[in-house]
Amino acid sequence: MAYRALILKTLSDMRASYWFVPSCLVLGAAALAGGMLWLDTHAAILDTLMPSNMTDTQIDGARTVLSVIAQSVIGVAGVMFSITMVAVSFASGNFGPRLIGNFMRDRGNQWALGILIATFVYTLIILRSLQASVDGGVDGFVPQLSLMLAMGLAMLSVFVVIFYVHHVPETINVSNIAAGLGRRFCVAMEATAHDHGTAPPPPIARGEGEDITLHGVGYVQRLDLDVLDDIAKDRSLTMELLALPGGFAHAGNPVLRVSAPVDDETRAALRSAFALGPAKTEDQNLIFLAEQQVEMLARALSPGMNDPHTAINCMNWMAAGLAAGAVKGDHFGIQSRERLRVEVLDWDILLQETFGAAWVYAKDDALARKAWDDALDRLEHGPSNALQTAVADLRARCLG
């Protein structure tokens, strides 16, 4: 599929937005209101669903109840939005601006905001349907079933507020942030671990074939390997990937090297396999997860915070992720294909991006330095001989 990388990137951006889930819930609330009003206009269905003693609400009482619900819910939603912005600002300032995406992806915040706004929209639509009896033969209309559901949504909103008040402090708890990053790092290490697999084609010397650059500028956020592999097979080409997800691309920085010159159509198809964005993301980017943990560690050990225990927590999670990957294999990230050469993430690279980068900040703090050394001791006694060798090399570089 053409531009599948861009489509997948867009879906990932929607996943990390505050507008998608609330917008879907608002549309669902509007559809629900229409369905409930249809039920209320059919007296036979209404008599079946509700006992007679629950269908005697008068027009003034219904209008008052719905007005109170609408005003209260939208007011609380505004307060919740303000709290969310304060929490995001706090986390960004204390733990690093690149961690904002973790809060934007939080489903609890998205659903809490969405439920309150959806309740407001539903209540407004039902409120508009109220119709007082007037002279001239027009009968009054009170949607009894819709009114009961509005009260039910109001009660649901109360519990959502209770959940939200509990959830926000948890999301900015430094231990929970480190644990969330660490768990995702463990999962990514296990999911992307592999052995040598298919032997990659030999590297293409600079000046041979053609270097492919992209029209846009930004970070590679998504890469469609299947498109590249299919084009290479169809046109009997070999390729070398020069920019992994997380790499920066611009007009002077090629992202792909092809073994032979290609036509405009093929060049456009190759470019469609790359999706750019303004910042790095965790999609297909194992290193970015490590960078976020190192950034937390660096801020924790800064003179302004001086929190070695948070730094120790980050190193424990980094070690856990590396140990989880060691059980699965010795190479990580995107695999090479028969006609596509990709740089392999081996233990030397991963250790340098995690404990090698952390050493700069941990070496001057006694507690952090001891934790750094203890974590490498545990890794050095792990099941992977390649990891043991890489740990010994890292110690020699840092301590020698």
Side-chain angles (χ1 to χ4, degrees), residues 40-346:
D40 274 310
T41 57
H42 292 70
I45 298 177
L46 183 63
D47 293 339
T48 303
L49 294 177
M50 295 183 64
S52 58
N53 62 349
M54 297 182 65
T55 59
D56 56 354
T57 304
Q58 301 301 309
I59 185 71
D60 291 336
R63 181 178 289 112
T64 301
V65 169
L66 292 173
S67 298
V68 169
I69 293 174
Q71 294 172 13
S72 302
V73 166
I74 197 62
V76 172
V79 173
M80 287 174 57
F81 180 77
S82 300
I83 293 174
T84 300
M85 293 301 100
V86 171
V88 169
S89 300
F90 172 82
S92 173
N94 286 274
F95 310 128
R98 293 193 294 180
L99 294 176
I100 290 180
N102 299 302
F103 298 93
M104 298 293 288
R105 290 186 183 91
D106 188 273
R107 286 298 195 199
N109 293 340
Q110 295 174 8
W111 277 89
L113 184 63
I115 288 174
L116 265 69
I117 296 177
T119 300
F120 171 74
V121 170
Y122 174 87
T123 306
L124 275 187
I125 295 174
I126 302 305
L127 184 61
R128 182 181 179 277
S129 70
L130 295 179
Q131 182 176 310
S133 58
V134 297
D135 296 337
V138 179
D139 296 331
F141 175 66
V142 178
Q144 305 288 348
L145 192 58
S146 301
L147 177 62
M148 292 298 297
L149 183 57
M151 296 177 65
L153 290 175
M155 292 300 299
L156 175 62
S157 298
V158 171
F159 287 103
V160 167
V161 173
I162 295 173
F163 160 79
Y164 186 80
V165 170
H166 166 77
H167 182 69
V168 169
E170 280 198 328
T171 60
I172 60 175
N173 182 294
V174 64
S175 297
N176 291 336
I177 296 173
L181 286 172
R183 291 190 188 99
R184 294 202 299 278
F185 185 55
C186 290
V187 171
M189 287 289 294
E190 292 179 343
T192 62
H194 56 84
D195 294 324
H196 290 288
T198 304
I204 305 171
R206 186 171 185 176
E208 294 182 5
E210 180 180 351
D211 287 350
I212 304 297
T213 58
L214 303 180
H215 291 315
V217 178
Y219 290 93
V220 178
Q221 291 187 344
R222 173 69 68 165
L223 175 63
D224 194 339
L225 291 173
D226 292 333
V227 168
L228 298 178
D229 196 41
D230 291 342
I231 294 174
K233 291 178 180 177
D234 292 343
R235 292 163 176 77
S236 298
L237 300 169
T238 59
M239 303 179 185
E240 183 176 358
L241 190 64
L242 303 179
L244 291 170
F248 193 79
H250 55 82
N253 182 25
V255 297
L256 188 69
R257 184 167 293 159
V258 187
S259 59
V262 295
D263 54 33
D264 291 341
E265 182 182 356
T266 302
R267 197 175 296 112
L270 292 172
R271 286 172 174 152
S272 72
F274 295 83
L276 300 181
K280 296 180 181 181
T281 67
E282 297 176 11
D283 295 333
Q284 299 179 314
N285 190 358
L286 186 63
I287 297 298
F288 184 61
L289 286 166
E291 290 176 348
Q292 291 183 89
Q293 294 178 89
V294 172
E295 183 174 356
M296 275 196 67
L297 179 149
R299 286 176 175 265
L301 293 176
S302 65
M305 293 189 68
N306 191 24
D307 182 12
H309 295 288
T310 294
I312 293 170
N313 196 17
C314 291
M315 284 188 279
N316 287 334
W317 279 108
M318 285 192 295
L322 295 174
V327 178
K328 299 288 186 177
D330 289 322
H331 298 89
F332 303 88
I334 297 174
Q335 298 187 48
S336 294
R337 307 287 180 95
E338 182 180 355
R339 292 180 173 273
L340 177 64
R341 183 180 184 86
V342 181
E343 180 185 6
V344 176
L345 296 180
D346 57 17

